[in-house]
Amino acid sequence: MLSNQAGDGKRTSLHGHWSSKMAFILAVTGSAVGLGNIWKFPYVAGENGGGAFVLVYLACVIAIGMPVMMSEILIGRRGRRNPVATTELLGQEEGSSRNWRYLGMLGVTAGILILSYYSVIAGWTLSYIVKSATGTFVGISNIEVVADHEAFKANTGLVSMVHTLFMVITTFVVARGVERGLEQAVRFMVPALLLMMLALLGYSISSGYFGAGVEFLFTPDFSKLGWDGVLEAMGQAFFTLSIGMGAIMAYGAYLPEETSITGASATVVAADTGIAILAGLVIFPLVFANGLQPDAGPGLVFQTLPMAFGQMSGGAFFSTLFFVLLSFAAWTSAIGLMEPAVAWLVESYNRTRAQAAVIIGALIWLIGFGSVFSWNIWKDNTFFQGTVFDNLDFLTNQIMLPVGGFFIAVFAGWVMCRNSTADELGGTGTAYTLWRFGARVIAPICILIVLYFAISQVVA
Ligand code: TRP
């Protein structure tokens, strides 16, 4: 039996609470800022021609990202349980249906699938720490850096090993629990990463190609962007903000009553978007300065940055530091990806946190081999969108997260009564009105339109 039944209407979480508002903001920022900002954003923007993609992405962050993030936090805090139990409980409490639990389950599943490939890329970053430290990139040429990256991805044994290592450390932190594990890991990572990116920005400005980078990122050419690109931009907005899968809902469950959800969301959205744009401003000037390709795909940062570091004095040191920070960023995100599944297993099957973390971690680790092999032994086994990695990426970011986000917005906007949401958002002022319009109308309609046009294009 759960010990946090609604008595006076205010529940507490079984997993403990964040020690302060700052801790919550750090944790959510830590989950949001990750490979999505530094690895993914530049390469999807690069593959989709730059400016127009970036504009659509920014529009999605504001029009869909903000209201969905606020909805997730408020649902989470009201239910104070794992996403499955919370959606089930609130569905009933708000006079709708217990079947809203399937929304929670969709999220738990998405988290597991995303982490399965996320861990593989995070494993790459671990390897790049060692490569940097041992001087692999000192004075490397653009042809060599690309060849080195290709050879690295093709090394099944090595990539399997680093994927395993990454899952072990992630499972370890999740097993330690909310205050002890999650909070400590994020406290210094975000500020350190920001400083490092700013230093790199200085370098990219001095490369002589800063203008070309800015032009690529901010000059919209809509002839380069089809509906599939628009869907990818929307998927990227969901992915980078960690929304649409109940992760932020799970974090919201540990949020103290008095914290402002609007303020916390705005801070996180601004920090996350800022870091993604910063990454773009670092990477594209380097792409153009070194004759690399903006549409190099998932290998993009693993080619541009080592190349740039290889030309700096002290580059091996800074390169090592950079990949250490990126691994940290990936790690704090990975924790968030695992949290919904682990919290669900703990509450539903009476497991200890450690047992649940090991079970879920092992499952994710196994599925991850589909992505490990996507660049080597299964490289040519392509179907639908491409390799196993390509398909998981498409299914999660472009289908599951938007669908999850749609139902989260509809749930908070239409199913929950005005009193409940106003209670969580601290009254019915302007911010509340804007949020409610966003959650009821703008976010659901935009998501439907993009999904409709993109899917009819894929099917046609
Ligand atoms: N936002 C993370 C990143 O940009 C990835 C991510 C997606 C995530 N969904 C999440 C992280 C849920 C934590 C929880 O790298």
Side-chain angles (χ1 to χ4, degrees):
M1 206 48 222
L2 291 166
S3 59
N4 67 343
Q5 298 291 20
D8 57 355
K10 293 294 178 205
R11 282 174 281 262
T12 54
S13 165
L14 294 169
H15 306 270
H17 290 99
W18 303 107
S19 59
S20 66
K21 172 180 171 189
M22 196 55 199
F24 172 77
I25 291 184
L26 277 172
V28 179
T29 310
S31 99
V33 174
L35 297 174
N37 306 61
I38 291 166
W39 160 71
K40 187 134 209 219
F41 171 72
Y43 95 73
V44 287
E47 283 180 335
N48 288 287
F53 178 91
V54 175
L55 203 66
V56 174
Y57 155 79
L58 289 175
C60 290
V61 164
I62 294 166
I64 305 175
M66 241 338 249
V68 172
M69 178 169 288
M70 289 169 70
S71 304
E72 267 202 45
I73 303 177
L74 80 85
I75 294 171
R77 185 165 73 182
R78 199 146 189 93
R80 291 248 185 252
R81 300 188 189 173
N82 73 77
V84 180
T86 287
T87 45
E88 174 170 349
L89 174 76
L90 294 188
Q92 257 176 326
E93 199 170 271
E94 298 284 342
S96 178
S97 151
R98 298 185 51 194
N99 288 333
W100 280 99
R101 72 174 179 280
Y102 292 111
L103 174 57
M105 285 178 186
L106 178 74
V108 165
T109 315
I112 290 173
L113 294 179
I114 293 176
L115 186 51
S116 80
Y117 68 79
Y118 200 86
S119 166
V120 175
I121 310 298
W124 292 4
T125 67
L126 293 179
S127 287
Y128 272 63
I129 297 176
V130 179
K131 276 174 172 290
S132 302
T134 53
T136 311
F137 305 126
V138 177
I140 200 165
S141 75
N142 58 358
I143 298 182
E144 286 164 342
V145 85
V146 175
D148 183 75
H149 183 66
E150 294 304 321
F152 165 73
K153 287 186 297 191
N155 188 338
T156 316
L158 182 59
V159 178
S160 302
M161 207 180 78
V162 284
H163 159 60
T164 306
L165 180 63
F166 185 78
M167 277 316 298
V168 168
I169 54 183
T170 300
T171 304
F172 180 75
V173 178
V174 174
R176 280 173 54 113
V178 175
E179 293 95 359
R180 279 182 306 159
L182 306 197
E183 234 178 273
Q184 279 169 18
V186 295
R187 260 188 196 283
F188 98 105
M189 187 281 297
V190 178
L193 190 70
L194 189 62
L195 280 181
M196 186 81 194
M197 294 301 291
L198 287 174
L200 280 173
L201 183 68
Y203 180 78
S204 96
I205 290 175
S206 71
S207 71
Y209 283 79
F210 193 66
V214 171
E215 197 184 317
F216 182 76
L217 269 182
F218 296 114
T219 312
D221 174 357
F222 281 96
S223 67
K224 290 189 186 145
L225 197 72
W227 278 105
D228 54 343
V230 173
L231 177 61
E232 195 153 355
M234 184 171 81
Q236 174 63 16
F238 276 97
F239 182 79
T240 189
L241 295 174
S242 305
I243 54 178
M245 52 156 282
I248 302 298
M249 206 185 280
Y251 278 12
Y254 318 141
L255 183 62
E257 217 49 64
E258 60 283 359
T259 308
S260 152
I261 291 179
T262 314
S265 303
T267 311
V268 173
V269 168
D272 184 77
T273 311
I275 292 185
I277 296 291
L278 196 56
L281 287 175
V282 167
I283 284 161
F284 289 107
L286 300 178
V287 167
F288 299 122
N290 294 304
L292 294 161
Q293 293 305 321
D295 59 354
L300 186 66
V301 283
F302 296 95
Q303 300 169 0
T304 45
L305 293 182
M307 169 96 214
F309 285 120
Q311 294 166 354
M312 293 180 209
S313 58
F317 172 76
F318 287 112
S319 182
T320 310
L321 184 63
F322 176 82
F323 284 109
V324 167
L325 288 172
L326 188 54
S327 304
F328 263 104
W331 191 24
T332 55
S333 298
I335 292 163
L337 283 163
M338 227 169 127
E339 183 62 22
V342 170
W344 165 75
L345 200 58
V346 169
E347 289 175 31
S348 313
Y349 294 93
N350 262 325
R351 298 280 169 182
T352 64
R353 226 187 136 76
Q355 285 170 338
V358 170
I359 294 169
I360 300 289
L363 175 69
I364 294 171
W365 172 73
L366 264 184
I367 302 173
F369 282 93
S371 298
V372 168
F373 299 154
S374 291
W375 283 279
N376 37 69
I377 54 182
W378 291 353
K379 181 168 88 193
D380 301 316
N381 297 354
T382 54
F383 56 101
F384 189 45
Q385 294 288 312
T387 59
V388 173
F389 164 79
D390 296 324
N391 280 292
L392 281 175
D393 176 39
F394 179 79
L395 178 71
T396 52
N397 295 351
Q398 297 181 43
I399 306 294
M400 294 173 89
L401 297 186
V403 169
F406 173 85
F407 285 108
I408 287 166
V410 165
F411 187 81
W414 295 95
V415 175
M416 289 179 75
C417 68
R418 201 181 159 85
N419 283 344
S420 319
T421 49
D423 184 25
E424 291 299 328
L425 292 181
T428 53
T430 317
Y432 180 81
T433 311
L434 278 175
W435 164 76
R436 202 149 192 254
F437 186 62
R440 287 167 76 103
V441 181
I442 301 187
I445 289 184
C446 292
I447 296 171
L448 280 187
I449 291 176
V450 176
L451 278 176
Y452 174 79
F453 281 105
I455 288 173
S456 32
Q457 195 180 50
V458 169
V459 173

